[in-house]
Amino acid sequence: MSLYFKYFKVHLKSELEYKTSFILSFIAQLFTLFSYYFTIICLFNQFSNIKGFTMYDVLLTFGIIQFGFAFCETFFRGIDKFDTLIIEGNFDRLLLRPRNILFQLFCDKLSLIKASKVIETIIVLIIAILNIEVNWNGYRIMTLIFMLFSAIIIFLAILIASASYCFLTIKGLEVRNVLTDGCKDMAQYPIGIFKKGFINFFTFIVPMGLVNYYPFLFLLGKSNNKLLCFCPLLTILYLIPAIWLFYRGLKRYSSIGS
Amino acid sequence: MPFIMVKHINKTFKVPIKASGIIGTIKSFFNRKYKYIKAINDISFSIKKGEIVGYIGPNGAGKSTTIKILSGILVPDSGEVKIDRLIPYKDRKKYVQEIGVVFGQRSQLWWDIPAIDSFNLLKEIYKIPDNEYQKTKDELIELLNLKDILNIPVRQLSLGNRMKCEIAASLLHKPKILFLDEPTIGLDAVSKKIVREFIKKINKQNNVTVILTTHDMADIEALAKRIILIGKGQILYDGSLSKLKKQYDYLRKITVITKDKVHLQKPYIVEEKTFEEGIEFVIDIRKIEINEFIKLISSKMSIIDIDVDSGNIDELIVKLYEDFKI
């Protein structure tokens, strides 16, 4: 962990080498994400609720998913950009260092520009939490923390799984964006508003439902099953096949010329 | 058991065949054909501790692939590699702690920050104890004269200075083996000399085993007593440079400036060219010694000036490649 912070310092120094670019990109990122939230606010200006979910409900699920994604983009950028690492031949460098490969990948790149998204989602989350109609108690606070945690885990698993695919194809696949951006855009709404097929997809194939739907029902008091509070933790299981795939791919790695 | 042992390794790459032109590109997109390239074909050798070995061969001969297998990046399809009792691609984490690798064409340093920051991060990655790190770092700074360049972002350094930093970075953890993949590529004469002398020094002082690939034969002449020549994935020659010279470097070009017009036509003269100012001979020194030859020509003509070209090692290698048809 302390090594991660050492890397962090190096990346911070690198990014701050280009001051103007850093500041402008940081602001640009803020605006991009803001336009998303703006759409939601406009939407709920017209309809007071969608299938029983209010604006603050949606802002909360939206914020949780965005938080998980932005967190991975910011702090685990190396695995997100794995295909460029392989194409440019820099992956060899990681193999020459006496540390765990996945860990080095997490550390390899850091995008502080994307940190603006993390900050923004935290603000949105705070607004949503202050306004949402929830009877807060110990269980419910724990549920919320689990949800945030599992949002990170689920995107991490998707990123690792799609990175493993680069070992075969070298260039990253657009399929990955279906999984990351696609799921992100769908799952930021409480998936209960969708049809049955979608709900099944997001429960069993890409278990976004475990992150922000089933525990959310408990949070809002729509279900009293206390087990739902722990279901975000199931996403950890999703990491296992992802990591397994990655190490299988690593064995097939064939580097690039010279 | 030898320090580095390589036994019958093979490596084949699957490469897509690309047709040219737009139509060809589209065609190969839908129906991609592959060919299999044998990058390494049954290579075996062993290296003793403290040796410097020059690993040479034309582009695409399999040099880098071998280095990558030896440094644990690639897994051979078959065969066995054992270095200091470890298998590079199996005991990766333990093994890479013992080696340093410099790729002349690829940087190990973080591009936007000064080299010293990279060094400090490498200290953490390799878990080097504080006092040991301090000592090694000071030594390297002293030996390579890095003091003034350590605090400049790497991207602003000249290639020569960057290479010095790269080499220093690869030695911070005191590796037992140093792999250098074209370490002098693109460097000027002065930097080349510094790099060569430094490699020699650490080989002697710390008994570091050095394996280097290069296209610059002067590197080999200055550093390696032993060379391994590889072509089309196979070892063509493994032995001392001097022996190779004896075997292949037997032609000498002797240019004589003279006003006399003489024709010699002897069996040991491979080529004889007359031009305005004099004559150019190419002789076979296996058949006649140079001083004998000079005695002979000085008795036949009055010599104004004479020049003996002592065989360029580059030409030797070209001859060698031709001989082996690679």
Side-chain angles (χ1 to χ4, degrees), chain A residues 19-65:
Chain A
K19 238 180 249 160
T20 324
S21 154
F22 177 76
I23 293 168
L24 289 177
S25 314
F26 196 88
I27 295 170
Q29 287 289 335
L30 279 178
F31 276 107
T32 335
L33 195 58
F34 178 74
S35 64
Y36 273 109
Y37 293 114
F38 193 68
T39 336
I40 296 181
I41 294 166
C42 291
L43 194 69
F44 279 93
N45 245 338
Q46 297 295 319
F47 314 97
S48 60
N49 71 73
I50 298 176
K51 278 205 177 172
F53 293 101
T54 67
M55 179 170 91
Y56 292 111
D57 295 348
V58 173
L59 276 183
L60 188 74
T61 55
F62 197 100
I64 284 171
I65 291 292

Tab-separated table of all heavy atoms in Angstrom, chain A residues 19-65:
chain	number	residue	atom	x	y	z
A	19	LYS	N	1.122	22.131	-16.261
A	19	LYS	CA	0.147	22.763	-15.385
A	19	LYS	C	-1.137	23.186	-16.096
A	19	LYS	O	-2.231	22.807	-15.699
A	19	LYS	CB	0.798	23.978	-14.716
A	19	LYS	CG	0.768	23.873	-13.196
A	19	LYS	CD	1.419	25.084	-12.577
A	19	LYS	CE	2.732	24.716	-11.913
A	19	LYS	NZ	3.633	25.839	-11.692
A	20	THR	N	-0.990	23.957	-17.154
A	20	THR	CA	-2.175	24.515	-17.828
A	20	THR	C	-3.066	23.394	-18.345
A	20	THR	O	-4.279	23.409	-18.148
A	20	THR	CB	-1.758	25.402	-19.014
A	20	THR	OG1	-0.572	26.080	-18.649
A	20	THR	CG2	-2.842	26.371	-19.364
A	21	SER	N	-2.427	22.441	-19.008
A	21	SER	CA	-3.174	21.321	-19.547
A	21	SER	C	-3.941	20.619	-18.441
A	21	SER	O	-5.102	20.245	-18.602
A	21	SER	CB	-2.203	20.351	-20.219
A	21	SER	OG	-2.721	19.061	-20.217
A	22	PHE	N	-3.293	20.458	-17.289
A	22	PHE	CA	-3.920	19.775	-16.173
A	22	PHE	C	-5.173	20.518	-15.707
A	22	PHE	O	-6.243	19.932	-15.569
A	22	PHE	CB	-2.923	19.634	-15.018
A	22	PHE	CG	-3.509	19.003	-13.798
A	22	PHE	CD1	-3.726	17.640	-13.757
A	22	PHE	CD2	-3.858	19.774	-12.701
A	22	PHE	CE1	-4.284	17.043	-12.641
A	22	PHE	CE2	-4.411	19.188	-11.579
A	22	PHE	CZ	-4.622	17.826	-11.547
A	23	ILE	N	-5.023	21.826	-15.512
A	23	ILE	CA	-6.149	22.606	-14.979
A	23	ILE	C	-7.318	22.597	-15.959
A	23	ILE	O	-8.472	22.357	-15.580
A	23	ILE	CB	-5.703	24.057	-14.680
A	23	ILE	CG1	-4.690	24.033	-13.522
A	23	ILE	CG2	-6.893	24.935	-14.312
A	23	ILE	CD1	-3.952	25.327	-13.315
A	24	LEU	N	-7.033	22.828	-17.241
A	24	LEU	CA	-8.098	22.896	-18.236
A	24	LEU	C	-8.821	21.554	-18.359
A	24	LEU	O	-10.051	21.499	-18.396
A	24	LEU	CB	-7.535	23.322	-19.595
A	24	LEU	CG	-7.103	24.789	-19.677
A	24	LEU	CD1	-6.501	25.090	-21.034
A	24	LEU	CD2	-8.270	25.723	-19.383
A	25	SER	N	-8.051	20.468	-18.407
A	25	SER	CA	-8.683	19.149	-18.530
A	25	SER	C	-9.538	18.851	-17.307
A	25	SER	O	-10.608	18.260	-17.396
A	25	SER	CB	-7.629	18.047	-18.662
A	25	SER	OG	-6.654	18.404	-19.565
A	26	PHE	N	-9.033	19.267	-16.156
A	26	PHE	CA	-9.750	19.042	-14.904
A	26	PHE	C	-11.127	19.700	-14.964
A	26	PHE	O	-12.149	19.084	-14.658
A	26	PHE	CB	-8.926	19.642	-13.751
A	26	PHE	CG	-9.331	19.171	-12.395
A	26	PHE	CD1	-8.769	18.017	-11.864
A	26	PHE	CD2	-10.257	19.876	-11.643
A	26	PHE	CE1	-9.132	17.579	-10.605
A	26	PHE	CE2	-10.625	19.445	-10.376
A	26	PHE	CZ	-10.059	18.286	-9.864
A	27	ILE	N	-11.152	20.929	-15.423
A	27	ILE	CA	-12.412	21.670	-15.508
A	27	ILE	C	-13.319	21.046	-16.564
A	27	ILE	O	-14.525	20.867	-16.353
A	27	ILE	CB	-12.145	23.157	-15.824
A	27	ILE	CG1	-11.398	23.786	-14.641
A	27	ILE	CG2	-13.452	23.909	-16.074
A	27	ILE	CD1	-10.869	25.164	-14.909
A	28	ALA	N	-12.736	20.675	-17.702
A	28	ALA	CA	-13.513	20.078	-18.784
A	28	ALA	C	-14.244	18.836	-18.298
A	28	ALA	O	-15.423	18.623	-18.582
A	28	ALA	CB	-12.608	19.739	-19.953
A	29	GLN	N	-13.535	18.007	-17.521
A	29	GLN	CA	-14.142	16.787	-16.983
A	29	GLN	C	-15.332	17.107	-16.096
A	29	GLN	O	-16.357	16.437	-16.136
A	29	GLN	CB	-13.108	15.996	-16.176
A	29	GLN	CG	-12.061	15.295	-17.014
A	29	GLN	CD	-12.630	14.121	-17.767
A	29	GLN	OE1	-13.627	13.540	-17.366
A	29	GLN	NE2	-12.005	13.775	-18.874
A	30	LEU	N	-15.185	18.171	-15.311
A	30	LEU	CA	-16.287	18.571	-14.419
A	30	LEU	C	-17.542	18.849	-15.224
A	30	LEU	O	-18.635	18.405	-14.882
A	30	LEU	CB	-15.896	19.836	-13.641
A	30	LEU	CG	-15.014	19.677	-12.413
A	30	LEU	CD1	-14.702	21.034	-11.823
A	30	LEU	CD2	-15.706	18.807	-11.376
A	31	PHE	N	-17.366	19.581	-16.346
A	31	PHE	CA	-18.522	19.966	-17.142
A	31	PHE	C	-19.169	18.775	-17.838
A	31	PHE	O	-20.378	18.697	-17.926
A	31	PHE	CB	-18.121	21.032	-18.170
A	31	PHE	CG	-18.132	22.408	-17.578
A	31	PHE	CD1	-16.941	23.059	-17.313
A	31	PHE	CD2	-19.337	23.026	-17.250
A	31	PHE	CE1	-16.943	24.322	-16.733
A	31	PHE	CE2	-19.341	24.292	-16.680
A	31	PHE	CZ	-18.141	24.940	-16.426
A	32	THR	N	-18.341	17.853	-18.321
A	32	THR	CA	-18.894	16.684	-19.014
A	32	THR	C	-19.864	15.957	-18.107
A	32	THR	O	-20.983	15.629	-18.484
A	32	THR	CB	-17.781	15.673	-19.377
A	32	THR	OG1	-16.566	16.356	-19.487
A	32	THR	CG2	-18.119	14.904	-20.610
A	33	LEU	N	-19.401	15.690	-16.899
A	33	LEU	CA	-20.229	14.924	-15.994
A	33	LEU	C	-21.449	15.716	-15.564
A	33	LEU	O	-22.535	15.186	-15.409
A	33	LEU	CB	-19.386	14.486	-14.784
A	33	LEU	CG	-20.003	13.391	-13.941
A	33	LEU	CD1	-20.277	12.166	-14.791
A	33	LEU	CD2	-19.063	13.016	-12.812
A	34	PHE	N	-21.252	17.011	-15.439
A	34	PHE	CA	-22.360	17.854	-14.991
A	34	PHE	C	-23.534	17.773	-15.973
A	34	PHE	O	-24.693	17.768	-15.566
A	34	PHE	CB	-21.907	19.306	-14.831
A	34	PHE	CG	-23.020	20.224	-14.406
A	34	PHE	CD1	-23.480	20.177	-13.090
A	34	PHE	CD2	-23.636	21.082	-15.299
A	34	PHE	CE1	-24.523	20.996	-12.691
A	34	PHE	CE2	-24.680	21.896	-14.905
A	34	PHE	CZ	-25.123	21.858	-13.597
A	35	SER	N	-23.212	17.658	-17.260
A	35	SER	CA	-24.281	17.586	-18.258
A	35	SER	C	-25.168	16.359	-18.031
A	35	SER	O	-26.370	16.393	-18.262
A	35	SER	CB	-23.691	17.569	-19.665
A	35	SER	OG	-22.938	16.406	-19.835
A	36	TYR	N	-24.579	15.288	-17.544
A	36	TYR	CA	-25.357	14.091	-17.202
A	36	TYR	C	-26.389	14.415	-16.122
A	36	TYR	O	-27.562	14.109	-16.242
A	36	TYR	CB	-24.450	12.997	-16.616
A	36	TYR	CG	-23.792	12.091	-17.614
A	36	TYR	CD1	-22.436	12.179	-17.852
A	36	TYR	CD2	-24.527	11.103	-18.274
A	36	TYR	CE1	-21.804	11.332	-18.734
A	36	TYR	CE2	-23.914	10.244	-19.158
A	36	TYR	CZ	-22.544	10.358	-19.385
A	36	TYR	OH	-21.940	9.515	-20.241
A	37	TYR	N	-25.882	15.026	-15.066
A	37	TYR	CA	-26.772	15.328	-13.939
A	37	TYR	C	-27.855	16.293	-14.356
A	37	TYR	O	-29.000	16.210	-13.920
A	37	TYR	CB	-25.966	15.913	-12.770
A	37	TYR	CG	-25.030	14.915	-12.175
A	37	TYR	CD1	-23.656	15.074	-12.262
A	37	TYR	CD2	-25.525	13.777	-11.514
A	37	TYR	CE1	-22.794	14.150	-11.738
A	37	TYR	CE2	-24.667	12.839	-10.988
A	37	TYR	CZ	-23.298	13.031	-11.104
A	37	TYR	OH	-22.456	12.111	-10.586
A	38	PHE	N	-27.469	17.191	-15.229
A	38	PHE	CA	-28.411	18.182	-15.711
A	38	PHE	C	-29.591	17.505	-16.403
A	38	PHE	O	-30.740	17.876	-16.197
A	38	PHE	CB	-27.685	19.138	-16.666
A	38	PHE	CG	-28.485	20.368	-16.977
A	38	PHE	CD1	-28.727	21.323	-15.992
A	38	PHE	CD2	-28.998	20.574	-18.245
A	38	PHE	CE1	-29.464	22.448	-16.279
A	38	PHE	CE2	-29.739	21.701	-18.531
A	38	PHE	CZ	-29.973	22.648	-17.543
A	39	THR	N	-29.289	16.475	-17.201
A	39	THR	CA	-30.358	15.734	-17.892
A	39	THR	C	-31.342	15.160	-16.886
A	39	THR	O	-32.560	15.215	-17.078
A	39	THR	CB	-29.772	14.545	-18.684
A	39	THR	OG1	-28.422	14.817	-18.969
A	39	THR	CG2	-30.546	14.268	-19.930
A	40	ILE	N	-30.815	14.582	-15.832
A	40	ILE	CA	-31.686	13.970	-14.833
A	40	ILE	C	-32.598	15.014	-14.193
A	40	ILE	O	-33.806	14.810	-14.045
A	40	ILE	CB	-30.847	13.273	-13.735
A	40	ILE	CG1	-30.066	12.122	-14.361
A	40	ILE	CG2	-31.741	12.771	-12.615
A	40	ILE	CD1	-29.239	11.376	-13.378
A	41	ILE	N	-31.993	16.135	-13.854
A	41	ILE	CA	-32.777	17.192	-13.206
A	41	ILE	C	-33.893	17.665	-14.134
A	41	ILE	O	-35.052	17.825	-13.726
A	41	ILE	CB	-31.852	18.360	-12.779
A	41	ILE	CG1	-30.895	17.863	-11.689
A	41	ILE	CG2	-32.663	19.530	-12.244
A	41	ILE	CD1	-29.729	18.771	-11.419
A	42	CYS	N	-33.550	17.844	-15.418
A	42	CYS	CA	-34.566	18.258	-16.400
A	42	CYS	C	-35.676	17.221	-16.507
A	42	CYS	O	-36.862	17.555	-16.558
A	42	CYS	CB	-33.943	18.445	-17.778
A	42	CYS	SG	-32.864	19.854	-17.854
A	43	LEU	N	-35.264	15.962	-16.531
A	43	LEU	CA	-36.210	14.862	-16.675
A	43	LEU	C	-37.232	14.886	-15.547
A	43	LEU	O	-38.445	14.820	-15.759
A	43	LEU	CB	-35.442	13.544	-16.682
A	43	LEU	CG	-36.170	12.294	-17.140
A	43	LEU	CD1	-36.452	12.397	-18.630
A	43	LEU	CD2	-35.320	11.066	-16.876
A	44	PHE	N	-36.722	15.025	-14.343
A	44	PHE	CA	-37.606	14.964	-13.184
A	44	PHE	C	-38.384	16.252	-12.969
A	44	PHE	O	-39.282	16.323	-12.151
A	44	PHE	CB	-36.816	14.575	-11.924
A	44	PHE	CG	-36.586	13.105	-11.829
A	44	PHE	CD1	-35.435	12.537	-12.325
A	44	PHE	CD2	-37.570	12.280	-11.271
A	44	PHE	CE1	-35.239	11.166	-12.264
A	44	PHE	CE2	-37.373	10.919	-11.207
A	44	PHE	CZ	-36.199	10.359	-11.704
A	45	ASN	N	-38.024	17.294	-13.701
A	45	ASN	CA	-38.834	18.498	-13.700
A	45	ASN	C	-40.173	18.228	-14.355
A	45	ASN	O	-41.189	18.813	-14.016
A	45	ASN	CB	-38.101	19.613	-14.452
A	45	ASN	CG	-37.765	20.735	-13.507
A	45	ASN	OD1	-38.403	20.873	-12.459
A	45	ASN	ND2	-36.774	21.513	-13.853
A	46	GLN	N	-40.169	17.309	-15.334
A	46	GLN	CA	-41.382	16.969	-16.073
A	46	GLN	C	-42.182	15.875	-15.366
A	46	GLN	O	-43.391	15.963	-15.245
A	46	GLN	CB	-41.018	16.494	-17.479
A	46	GLN	CG	-40.327	17.537	-18.328
A	46	GLN	CD	-41.229	18.715	-18.624
A	46	GLN	OE1	-42.419	18.554	-18.909
A	46	GLN	NE2	-40.687	19.936	-18.492
A	47	PHE	N	-41.480	14.839	-14.929
A	47	PHE	CA	-42.161	13.726	-14.249
A	47	PHE	C	-41.670	13.703	-12.814
A	47	PHE	O	-40.471	13.738	-12.580
A	47	PHE	CB	-41.810	12.386	-14.892
A	47	PHE	CG	-41.886	12.409	-16.380
A	47	PHE	CD1	-40.740	12.611	-17.146
A	47	PHE	CD2	-43.106	12.218	-17.029
A	47	PHE	CE1	-40.799	12.629	-18.529
A	47	PHE	CE2	-43.158	12.244	-18.402
A	47	PHE	CZ	-42.022	12.441	-19.162
A	48	SER	N	-42.596	13.609	-11.860
A	48	SER	CA	-42.132	13.673	-10.470
A	48	SER	C	-41.458	12.370	-10.054
A	48	SER	O	-40.582	12.344	-9.216
A	48	SER	CB	-43.289	13.991	-9.530
A	48	SER	OG	-44.269	12.979	-9.645
A	49	ASN	N	-41.861	11.247	-10.663
A	49	ASN	CA	-41.154	10.009	-10.358
A	49	ASN	C	-41.253	9.037	-11.522
A	49	ASN	O	-42.130	9.156	-12.369
A	49	ASN	CB	-41.674	9.368	-9.066
A	49	ASN	CG	-43.053	8.790	-9.243
A	49	ASN	OD1	-43.217	7.759	-9.884
A	49	ASN	ND2	-44.072	9.464	-8.689
A	50	ILE	N	-40.304	8.086	-11.548
A	50	ILE	CA	-40.336	7.039	-12.569
A	50	ILE	C	-40.495	5.718	-11.850
A	50	ILE	O	-39.625	5.317	-11.071
A	50	ILE	CB	-39.032	7.023	-13.391
A	50	ILE	CG1	-38.868	8.360	-14.128
A	50	ILE	CG2	-39.046	5.885	-14.401
A	50	ILE	CD1	-37.581	8.490	-14.894
A	51	LYS	N	-41.607	5.031	-12.103
A	51	LYS	CA	-41.898	3.754	-11.439
A	51	LYS	C	-41.636	3.825	-9.936
A	51	LYS	O	-41.030	2.936	-9.346
A	51	LYS	CB	-41.064	2.631	-12.052
A	51	LYS	CG	-41.683	2.070	-13.330
A	51	LYS	CD	-41.226	0.651	-13.554
A	51	LYS	CE	-41.899	0.072	-14.784
A	51	LYS	NZ	-41.360	-1.222	-15.152
A	52	GLY	N	-41.988	4.909	-9.344
A	52	GLY	CA	-41.892	5.024	-7.893
A	52	GLY	C	-40.545	5.510	-7.372
A	52	GLY	O	-40.341	5.657	-6.178
A	53	PHE	N	-39.607	5.762	-8.286
A	53	PHE	CA	-38.322	6.294	-7.829
A	53	PHE	C	-38.291	7.794	-8.027
A	53	PHE	O	-38.608	8.295	-9.110
A	53	PHE	CB	-37.171	5.647	-8.609
A	53	PHE	CG	-37.011	4.180	-8.324
A	53	PHE	CD1	-37.496	3.231	-9.216
A	53	PHE	CD2	-36.403	3.750	-7.147
A	53	PHE	CE1	-37.360	1.881	-8.951
A	53	PHE	CE2	-36.269	2.395	-6.881
A	53	PHE	CZ	-36.742	1.464	-7.776
A	54	THR	N	-37.908	8.530	-6.978
A	54	THR	CA	-37.871	9.991	-7.085
A	54	THR	C	-36.545	10.456	-7.672
A	54	THR	O	-35.640	9.651	-7.907
A	54	THR	CB	-38.011	10.638	-5.695
A	54	THR	OG1	-36.836	10.311	-4.946
A	54	THR	CG2	-39.232	10.130	-4.961
A	55	MET	N	-36.435	11.755	-7.856
A	55	MET	CA	-35.213	12.297	-8.428
A	55	MET	C	-34.006	11.986	-7.551
A	55	MET	O	-32.948	11.611	-8.047
A	55	MET	CB	-35.333	13.806	-8.594
A	55	MET	CG	-34.081	14.413	-9.165
A	55	MET	SD	-34.269	16.128	-9.626
A	55	MET	CE	-33.768	16.926	-8.129
A	56	TYR	N	-34.166	12.131	-6.220
A	56	TYR	CA	-33.010	11.911	-5.353
A	56	TYR	C	-32.629	10.434	-5.296
A	56	TYR	O	-31.453	10.097	-5.131
A	56	TYR	CB	-33.270	12.483	-3.957
A	56	TYR	CG	-33.341	13.987	-3.995
A	56	TYR	CD1	-34.533	14.666	-3.776
A	56	TYR	CD2	-32.189	14.722	-4.296
A	56	TYR	CE1	-34.587	16.051	-3.841
A	56	TYR	CE2	-32.238	16.106	-4.369
A	56	TYR	CZ	-33.430	16.769	-4.152
A	56	TYR	OH	-33.462	18.126	-4.234
A	57	ASP	N	-33.650	9.564	-5.466
A	57	ASP	CA	-33.320	8.134	-5.568
A	57	ASP	C	-32.401	7.898	-6.752
A	57	ASP	O	-31.367	7.237	-6.643
A	57	ASP	CB	-34.589	7.288	-5.791
A	57	ASP	CG	-35.524	7.360	-4.596
A	57	ASP	OD1	-35.062	7.879	-3.547
A	57	ASP	OD2	-36.666	6.920	-4.721
A	58	VAL	N	-32.798	8.462	-7.893
A	58	VAL	CA	-32.011	8.263	-9.104
A	58	VAL	C	-30.625	8.900	-8.970
A	58	VAL	O	-29.618	8.312	-9.341
A	58	VAL	CB	-32.751	8.816	-10.345
A	58	VAL	CG1	-31.860	8.753	-11.573
A	58	VAL	CG2	-34.016	8.012	-10.583
A	59	LEU	N	-30.594	10.105	-8.386
A	59	LEU	CA	-29.295	10.758	-8.201
A	59	LEU	C	-28.367	9.895	-7.355
A	59	LEU	O	-27.157	9.836	-7.582
A	59	LEU	CB	-29.462	12.127	-7.538
A	59	LEU	CG	-29.801	13.288	-8.471
A	59	LEU	CD1	-29.860	14.592	-7.686
A	59	LEU	CD2	-28.774	13.416	-9.592
A	60	LEU	N	-28.943	9.203	-6.371
A	60	LEU	CA	-28.112	8.372	-5.502
A	60	LEU	C	-27.534	7.181	-6.272
A	60	LEU	O	-26.326	6.956	-6.247
A	60	LEU	CB	-28.901	7.883	-4.286
A	60	LEU	CG	-28.027	7.177	-3.244
A	60	LEU	CD1	-27.177	8.175	-2.479
A	60	LEU	CD2	-28.861	6.358	-2.270
A	61	THR	N	-28.399	6.429	-6.973
A	61	THR	CA	-27.880	5.271	-7.723
A	61	THR	C	-26.919	5.739	-8.805
A	61	THR	O	-25.872	5.141	-9.030
A	61	THR	CB	-29.018	4.468	-8.392
A	61	THR	OG1	-29.776	5.347	-9.205
A	61	THR	CG2	-29.893	3.808	-7.377
A	62	PHE	N	-27.292	6.825	-9.449
A	62	PHE	CA	-26.445	7.418	-10.469
A	62	PHE	C	-25.061	7.749	-9.893
A	62	PHE	O	-24.028	7.387	-10.437
A	62	PHE	CB	-27.133	8.714	-10.941
A	62	PHE	CG	-26.635	9.241	-12.238
A	62	PHE	CD1	-27.330	9.008	-13.409
A	62	PHE	CD2	-25.481	10.003	-12.296
A	62	PHE	CE1	-26.883	9.509	-14.617
A	62	PHE	CE2	-25.029	10.500	-13.495
A	62	PHE	CZ	-25.725	10.259	-14.659
A	63	GLY	N	-25.097	8.410	-8.753
A	63	GLY	CA	-23.845	8.806	-8.102
A	63	GLY	C	-23.004	7.611	-7.709
A	63	GLY	O	-21.786	7.621	-7.877
A	64	ILE	N	-23.663	6.565	-7.211
A	64	ILE	CA	-22.906	5.393	-6.759
A	64	ILE	C	-22.181	4.741	-7.930
A	64	ILE	O	-20.988	4.443	-7.857
A	64	ILE	CB	-23.849	4.383	-6.065
A	64	ILE	CG1	-24.188	4.906	-4.668
A	64	ILE	CG2	-23.189	3.006	-5.967
A	64	ILE	CD1	-25.266	4.130	-3.965
A	65	ILE	N	-22.911	4.554	-9.045
A	65	ILE	CA	-22.280	3.929	-10.209
A	65	ILE	C	-21.166	4.811	-10.770
A	65	ILE	O	-20.062	4.346	-11.038
A	65	ILE	CB	-23.345	3.646	-11.300
A	65	ILE	CG1	-24.286	2.539	-10.832
A	65	ILE	CG2	-22.698	3.278	-12.616
A	65	ILE	CD1	-23.640	1.178	-10.708
